[in-house]
Amino acid sequence: MKLKYRVALVFVGIAALLVATGCAGRNAAARPVVRVHSSRSGGVETLSYTMRVNITDQINGDTANVPDVRVAFRFKNGTVVSRVDIPGSYFPDGQARILLTDQSRRRSAVLLRHGLRPDPALDSDSLSRVLFATSFNLGLLETSKPFERLTASDFSSRMRSLAFDVAQSGENRVIATRTIADAQGGARKFTLMFDDSAGAVVEATEEGNLQGINYKSESQVSYTSKTLDDGSELVIPYEVNTTVSGSLQGDEALPTVEMPTADAVLAEGEELQLAEDEYVANEFTAAPGEGSVDPNVQIQSTQVRMEDIQINQESDDYFLLDRW
């Protein structure tokens, strides 16, 4: 049950990431270099980068550095195709894989990196249903001119066309909200904060219920800008910080875990004194509080950092369109 909870939170985090990077966000230090290669259209035809992910469990402080993956998007004729190269360290068999997704046609496939053949252990139709059922496409990304800087008026018009409620917040910020009902009777609420000075969405929030989990995902995005030869300005996301909090409900809920009561508490710097017939069977640090832990509540923070950002570097062949 705990594994199911964690997997669900990961999917929610991915959905928030897609929402946040659909437009653009706030500035931060240490911006990466963006290399722009020429293209026939003069605009953005492909975007690729190395994605680095750090995950922190805010309840117990555990951290994990996820192995880097290479991500690429292809924008052409109003379609979006993506390729994610996943190293073998992610999988028990040690084989690297490639995840391919056609967002316009709502289909996906996984190929084994060695030999570029379909993964026989995976049902691609089931994968597609999971991917597209979990992440809701808000239509934020203009595929003909991806990552172009927006004005507050542009953003407001686009959000209204997508059935969002739009309100002004201060002099240069616009808030767009929309609630989506799902087939199971639940609801998902999206809130986007657009900053006119950044020309982009700076914060994205998603709240809802997913398979017995009440959750809230909050993302903040940092961007770097690049001016193309035709004078248009791009705002490229390079860091997304997301905090997902969730709680199990109903049949999914787990009982409270009572922590063992300590026989004695050591003062700072004091060492444990053992008799000749005593030994330490297990050493642990109890969670703060009254000796109980609620396993139904989890808070997870994820930092996604994009490095080696390349525009128009990849060819159509790189996306293996004839193999899936």
Side-chain angles (χ1 to χ4, degrees):
M1 197 67 67
K2 191 78 168 280
L3 177 60
K4 179 181 178 182
Y5 188 12
R6 288 185 179 275
V7 170
L9 289 183
V10 169
F11 272 125
V12 172
I14 292 173
L17 173 60
L18 292 175
V19 170
T21 56
C23 288
R26 68 180 193 175
N27 297 320
R31 301 179 185 179
V33 174
V34 179
R35 295 178 175 84
V36 180
H37 306 269
S38 61
S39 67
R40 293 181 179 180
S41 65
V44 177
E45 295 181 357
T46 69
L47 172 72
S48 58
Y49 53 85
T50 297
M51 184 171 70
R52 295 177 177 170
V53 181
N54 296 315
I55 300 174
T56 302
D57 188 322
Q58 297 293 345
I59 300 296
N60 57 32
D62 290 344
T63 61
N65 295 319
V66 179
D68 294 351
V69 300
R70 187 69 183 172
V71 181
F73 294 91
R74 170 186 176 269
F75 308 98
K76 195 170 185 178
N77 300 325
T79 65
V80 182
V81 176
S82 64
R83 167 175 169 164
V84 181
D85 285 70
I86 309 172
S89 54
Y90 272 85
F91 306 102
D93 61 8
Q95 292 194 67
R97 286 165 169 81
I98 301 172
L99 170 62
L100 301 163
T101 306
D102 185 335
Q103 297 188 29
S104 305
R105 298 180 181 178
R106 300 177 69 83
R107 67 189 184 102
S108 59
V110 174
L111 305 182
L112 297 174
R113 184 66 181 85
H114 179 68
L116 298 180
R117 55 188 177 85
D119 184 350
L122 187 71
D123 182 348
S124 294
D125 290 337
S126 297
L127 173 64
S128 296
R129 287 194 295 270
V130 170
L131 286 177
F132 293 107
T134 308
S135 59
F136 182 78
N137 178 19
L138 296 177
L140 298 178
L141 189 62
E142 177 57 60
T143 56
S144 62
K145 296 180 179 179
F147 305 106
E148 262 201 338
R149 181 185 181 90
L150 298 176
T151 65
S153 177
D154 293 336
F155 174 77
S156 298
S157 296
R158 185 176 298 177
M159 291 299 97
R160 290 192 179 98
S161 71
L162 295 169
F164 275 73
D165 294 323
V166 178
Q168 193 77 22
S169 176
E171 295 183 359
N172 64 343
R173 290 201 165 192
V174 178
I175 299 175
T177 59
R178 182 180 176 185
T179 300
I180 308 294
D182 59 33
Q184 288 73 38
R188 302 165 68 183
K189 180 180 179 182
F190 299 90
T191 303
L192 306 176
M193 174 76 76
F194 176 88
D195 190 322
D196 191 48
S197 61
V201 168
V202 295
E203 298 176 8
T205 302
E206 179 184 345
E207 300 175 77
N209 182 281
L210 180 65
Q211 298 180 348
I213 304 171
N214 285 339
Y215 69 88
K216 183 176 183 180
S217 175
E218 300 174 282
S219 296
Q220 296 180 324
V221 193
S222 299
Y223 289 79
T224 187
S225 60
K226 191 72 175 181
T227 302
L228 299 180
D229 292 339
D230 62 4
S232 59
E233 185 180 357
L234 304 178
V235 277
I236 305 296
Y238 69 87
E239 186 172 295
V240 181
N241 289 286
T242 301
T243 299
V244 180
S245 56
S247 60
L248 290 172
Q249 304 291 319
D251 295 339
E252 300 292 336
L254 301 172
T256 299
V257 177
E258 297 295 335
M259 299 295 293
T261 302
D263 296 327
V265 178
L266 297 178
E268 185 176 356
E270 182 183 359
E271 294 185 2
L272 180 64
Q273 302 297 319
L274 298 174
E276 292 185 1
D277 60 344
E278 293 180 327
Y279 65 95
V280 176
N282 186 29
E283 184 175 340
F284 66 94
T285 300
E290 298 301 321
S292 63
V293 175
D294 185 357
N296 299 298
V297 177
Q298 292 190 14
I299 304 175
Q300 189 178 82
S301 297
T302 303
Q303 180 192 61
V304 178
R305 176 87 181 187
M306 293 75 159
E307 299 286 354
D308 187 23
I309 300 173
Q310 304 274 349
I311 294 176
N312 301 330
Q313 179 190 39
E314 315 298 349
S315 66
D316 285 352
D317 292 340
Y318 181 76
F319 294 91
L320 306 171
L321 299 176
D322 59 341
R323 292 181 177 267
W324 58 293

